[in-house]
Amino acid sequence: PLAAGDQAVAATLTIGSAAARLNGAALILDNTAGALALNGISIFNRDGPGMLAQSTVLDLTARGGSIDTIDSNALMITLGGVDLSFDAITHSGAGAAVVVTSAHGTGAGRRMLDVTRLVSSGGSAGVVLSDSTDGSFHFGAASSITDVTGSAIRIISGTGRIDLDYDGSIHQTGVAPMVSIDGHQGTIRFGSTSSLISPNGVGLSFWNANGDYEFNGITQLDGGARLVIG
């Protein structure tokens, strides 16, 4: 809720273009107080976060648009309440596509992030959700995560409940677990259109995982330790 003196702002936002990317961080919301509704966003940048929001007193919503980032994290959320829906998040090179730490979803059904098409190539990870993050996440059937050095999807959960639906593809060429779950509560569901392929390393890793896990599509594990439960 807004406090006295806080501002409520609704806006569209365009930063950079495919032909002329911003060199550096695109949108930083650091200890911002109030409510910000982004009704259409277009970000093209490199060598800095596409969007970084870190504030306990920010109510952030977004509807539509895209983030396209090279050699840095595309979307980083730390603390605060968010309800974000994007047409696309595209990431390549260093960093990760989505990193969320200790934030909570404020949308319907605890929605925190809904992405029609997530494309992540290279870097340390595709999606990382950690600490007391509490909310629901959805990534559509056109999504893909490829060639990351760490885990494609990594969940390190604390006191929060994380519900994640992933309907796209993952191709994990490295030796790290393709999907790594540690200390999790909630439901993780890979839909009927999902395709998870890990030819080399650990396929699926579950440690202190106390949730519900569904693999309804293709899951192909050809590496050494294909399934680790601890």
Side-chain angles (χ1 to χ4, degrees), residues 71-140:
D71 285 334
S72 189
N73 297 325
L75 175 66
M76 295 182 66
I77 304 293
T78 302
L79 308 172
V82 296
D83 176 13
L84 308 177
S85 297
F86 292 113
D87 299 320
I89 294 178
T90 303
H91 161 264
S92 61
V98 175
V99 179
V100 180
T101 306
S102 298
H104 63 276
T106 58
R110 300 169 42 256
R111 180 181 57 224
M112 183 177 295
L113 178 62
D114 188 338
V115 183
T116 302
R117 181 172 61 89
L118 171 76
V119 178
S120 182
S121 175
S124 58
V127 176
V128 181
L129 312 176
S130 65
D131 294 345
S132 58
T133 293
D134 187 295
S136 66
F137 299 79
H138 175 255
F139 301 94

Side-chain angles (χ1 to χ4, degrees), residues 35-221:
L36 174 60
L38 297 171
N39 300 314
I41 183 172
S42 176
I43 290 176
F44 289 88
N45 78 306
R46 65 178 305 133
D47 298 326
M51 177 189 292
L52 169 61
Q54 49 186 12
S55 174
T56 59
V57 288
L58 174 65
D59 183 4
L60 177 63
T61 62
R63 293 291 177 268
S66 62
I67 301 172
D68 190 317
T69 299
I70 297 174
D71 285 334
S72 189
N73 297 325
L75 175 66
M76 295 182 66
I77 304 293
T78 302
L79 308 172
V82 296
D83 176 13
L84 308 177
S85 297
F86 292 113
D87 299 320
I89 294 178
T90 303
H91 161 264
S92 61
V98 175
V99 179
V100 180
T101 306
S102 298
H104 63 276
T106 58
R110 300 169 42 256
R111 180 181 57 224
M112 183 177 295
L113 178 62
D114 188 338
V115 183
T116 302
R117 181 172 61 89
L118 171 76
V119 178
S120 182
S121 175
S124 58
V127 176
V128 181
L129 312 176
S130 65
D131 294 345
S132 58
T133 293
D134 187 295
S136 66
F137 299 79
H138 175 255
F139 301 94
S143 299
S144 66
I145 302 174
T146 57
D147 299 330
V148 297
T149 57
S151 294
I153 295 179
R154 186 179 184 193
I155 297 176
I156 314 164
S157 199
T159 57
R161 175 187 174 94
I162 294 174
D163 298 319
L164 181 143
D165 286 282
Y166 187 88
D167 295 321
S169 65
I170 297 174
H171 192 271
Q172 177 87 359
T173 56
V175 298
M178 175 172 57
V179 176
S180 177
I181 311 293
D182 189 348
H184 169 255
Q185 301 177 71
T187 299
I188 308 297
R189 185 191 69 86
F190 294 92
S192 60
T193 59
S194 66
S195 174
L196 314 181
I197 299 176
S198 176
N200 296 316
V202 176
L204 309 175
S205 176
F206 298 88
W207 290 91
N208 299 315
N210 299 307
D212 296 316
Y213 307 97
E214 300 180 18
F215 295 83
N216 299 311
I218 296 170
T219 303
Q220 181 177 326
L221 310 176

